[in-house]
Amino acid sequence: MTSNRLANLFPSVNEIPEAYRLGEPVEQREYLVGGQLLRWGGSLLKVTSPVYLSTPDGDQQVVLGSFPEMDADAALVALDAAVKAYDNGQGEWPTMRVAERIRHVEAFLARMREQRTAVVKLLMWEIGKNLKDSEKEFDRTCDYIVDTINALKDLDRRSSRFELEQDTLGQIRRVPLGVTLCMGPYNYPLNETFTTLIPALIMGNTVVFKPAKFGVLLIRPLLEAFRDSFPAGVINVIYGSGRETVSALMASGKVDIFAFIGTNKGASALKKLHPRPHRLRAALGLDAKNPGIVLPEVDLDNAVNEAVTGSLSFNGQRCTALKILFVHEDVVEQFLEKFNHKLASLKPGMPWEPGVALTPLPEPGKVDFLNDLVADALEKGARVVNQGGGEARGSFFFPAVLYPVAADMRIYQEEQFGPLVPVVPYRDLQTVIDYVLDSDFGQQLSIFGTNRNQVGRLVDVFANQVGRINLNTQCQRGPDSYPFNGRKNSAEGTLSVHDALRVFSIRTLVATKFNEQNKELVSDIIRNRESSFLTTDYIF
């Protein structure tokens, strides 16, 4: 169903500003293995944009280009290059001094910044992220790299000293774990990917990196930077179907770290393929069904503003989005009125248009999936309570607010990962508590309220259920110095600037009995720089 609101949604070619136009579709055949950009001679996978063009013959989906449909054999060649570069921990990269590894990452960052315009443009066209958020994703990724470098410097400074305990002299440093398989999500194909990729690299691991299923072409402008900034085989970039390539990598048993952001079902299936699971370190960011809880005593304007942003930023396609809202019966009518008024002010359009908040969805079939969730809810007693909610055109779906949502509806439990806002009225707070306790997910939640007794009680109840509790604000990842994790099926491991360095490394101790002979031995090793591990170098 298309309304006047969506009648002029998609532009003609001439209506696209010159700065944001793309040329002919890009046939990408390059991939990076063993320090060389190789050319793929096999079949290619087509890349389409969520953006359609309005033509005399109707809406036509934009074809952006294509990328290599690599197979298992090609992926295993890339894995062997990473294994060779790691060389059982004896390779150039894992044995390199920390200060030198930092210089390589700094060189990459400088090259990466040169590609800002190209990457931002592809973020808009490939996944439909608006211009402001695309620029923010690029800049935040660069900031994350800088913060990671500084965090490693700080960590290395603390490790440069020796400790004396019970007549035992020791030095403890963090060292790499091995070969990392890195896979990021399509909603943050640059930022979320690099929050695992960069820590893995800078700690001395070698990497096989497979870009997200959408947001593939935007990695192409960075391939030369990867090639030129790191020793051969340290970073290898492959493409193709994950079922074909990634399954083979995991089944080989040669992957030491699995860094994956996606679904818990996908992560579980891949982990099961590894023949030595006890040797596999995992850093996983998975599903979430983050609730927002609106208490009867609340700053309603703030709750509405945070809930609209929390549930609909980037069309709700964020793991940290508010996926279900529990609103007390005493305030639910006011909440819905204010929420729908705020929602009506959100501008739909193309990613490059000024002030656009709602954009097309990149996943094929996503509109049909959302329609199915709406139909199920309507059949079981819910209503779409906002004007135009659920109207669609091509890849665009206007947000639908569903109310009243009940436990027998699919939207109550399933993660929609899109612009659907289920609102559940409640009278007894135990209803909300039971929902969180029984949920398979435990990433975050938000509490909106001003009653200190109620808020304090909920904090204590939920502290052992989720990784982060947000008071009177939406769920979010940042600041990146804070831990980002989850319980249950929502995560494995903790990612923050500091925690990620620890996830991708292990502590190793060199110890000796404290006597004159051993003191002299250690001093000679340090003085003559005989070891990269045993050192008191201080990185400024």
Side-chain angles (χ1 to χ4, degrees), residues 186-188 262-263 285-293 306-327 339 363 366 369-370 373 400-402 405 409-424 435 439 441-446 448 470 474-476 484 490:
Y186 79 81
N187 58 331
Y188 288 91
T263 67
L286 307 172
D287 317 68
K289 184 75 172 176
N290 297 334
I293 303 162
E306 292 292 323
V308 169
T309 305
S311 57
L312 293 175
S313 286
F314 190 38
N315 308 304
Q317 299 169 118
R318 301 179 300 125
C319 65
T320 57
L322 289 171
K323 305 284 175 48
I324 187 166
L325 302 177
F326 289 87
V327 185
F339 189 99
E363 281 189 278
K366 188 68 177 189
F369 170 73
L370 296 173
L373 290 178
V401 180
L402 293 169
V405 166
M409 302 174 187
R410 287 174 55 192
I411 191 65
Y412 189 81
Q413 299 289 354
E414 290 186 38
E415 182 183 15
Q416 64 271 41
F417 212 76
L420 280 185
V421 185
V423 178
V424 183
Y435 178 87
S439 175
F441 308 113
Q443 188 201 74
Q444 298 188 35
L445 56 78
S446 291
F448 299 98
N470 302 276
Q474 62 178 294
C475 297
Q476 55 199 294
F484 181 60
S490 285

Side-chain angles (χ1 to χ4, degrees), residues 65-341:
S66 54
F67 62 91
E69 188 178 18
M70 295 173 65
D71 54 23
D73 290 340
L76 289 171
V77 171
L79 179 60
D80 287 341
V83 170
K84 180 180 178 182
Y86 190 70
D87 191 17
N88 291 313
Q90 306 304 301
E92 176 188 3
W93 185 248
T95 58
M96 188 178 291
R97 292 179 182 271
V98 170
E100 295 176 37
R101 286 206 301 266
I102 287 174
R103 282 193 284 272
H104 281 272
V105 174
E106 288 174 334
F108 170 76
L109 176 59
R111 293 283 300 274
M112 176 179 166
R113 291 189 194 274
E114 296 171 359
Q115 301 299 327
R116 183 179 188 270
T117 299
V119 173
V120 166
K121 184 184 291 188
L122 285 167
L123 275 167
M124 290 191 293
W125 279 96
E126 284 196 79
I127 64 170
K129 184 167 289 190
N130 67 38
L131 175 60
K132 180 181 177 182
D133 287 344
S134 295
E135 292 174 334
K136 182 179 178 181
E137 177 166 352
F138 187 93
D139 295 339
R140 183 181 177 187
T141 304
C142 293
D143 291 343
Y144 185 92
I145 296 174
V146 172
D147 291 343
T148 298
I149 290 170
N150 291 333
L152 180 55
K153 287 179 179 180
D154 186 56
L155 177 63
D156 193 73
R157 291 179 195 124
R158 294 197 303 270
S159 302
S160 66
R161 62 187 177 89
F162 282 77
E163 298 182 17
L164 182 61
E165 293 286 345
Q166 298 181 17
D167 207 32
T168 299
L169 182 69
Q171 188 175 50
I172 305 169
R173 288 189 176 279
R174 302 202 72 92
V175 296
L177 288 161
V179 176
T180 302
L181 171 59
C182 182
M183 301 170 65
Y186 79 81
N187 58 331
Y188 288 91
L190 188 72
N191 183 257
E192 292 278 5
T193 300
F194 276 47
T195 60
T196 59
L197 177 65
I198 294 300
L201 284 171
I202 207 167
M203 293 309 293
N205 304 285
T206 59
V207 174
V208 176
F209 164 39
K210 182 182 177 301
K213 59 181 178 179
F214 311 115
V216 183
L217 295 179
L218 63 88
I219 299 299
R220 176 60 187 87
L222 304 178
L223 289 184
E224 283 90 350
F226 278 129
R227 179 196 63 191
D228 298 341
S229 303
F230 298 98
V234 168
I235 171 70
N236 306 274
V237 184
I238 64 170
Y239 299 89
S241 163
R243 188 182 300 274
E244 174 75 12
T245 57
V246 177
S247 296
L249 298 181
M250 292 294 283
S252 73
K254 297 178 182 179
V255 173
D256 301 299
I257 316 173
F258 180 39
F260 175 81
I261 300 176
T263 67
N264 72 88
K265 291 181 180 179
S268 296
L270 289 171
K271 286 179 70 175
K272 288 177 182 177
L273 295 175
H274 201 288
R276 294 179 287 184
H278 63 283
R279 290 181 56 174
L280 182 68
R281 173 78 64 89
L284 309 176
L286 307 172
D287 317 68
K289 184 75 172 176
N290 297 334
I293 303 162
V294 181
L295 300 174
E297 297 177 52
V298 64
D299 179 343
L300 207 53
D301 288 333
N302 175 71
V304 166
N305 288 335
E306 292 292 323
V308 169
T309 305
S311 57
L312 293 175
S313 286
F314 190 38
N315 308 304
Q317 299 169 118
R318 301 179 300 125
C319 65
T320 57
L322 289 171
K323 305 284 175 48
I324 187 166
L325 302 177
F326 289 87
V327 185
H328 195 273
E329 291 177 355
D330 289 350
V331 296
V332 68
E333 295 299 333
Q334 289 177 277
F335 178 89
L336 287 171
E337 181 181 357
K338 290 176 177 289
F339 189 99
N340 289 338
H341 180 74

Side-chain angles (χ1 to χ4, degrees), residues 344-360:
S345 69
L346 300 181
K347 179 182 176 181
M350 296 299 99
W352 52 82
E353 295 177 19
V356 159
L358 305 171
T359 54

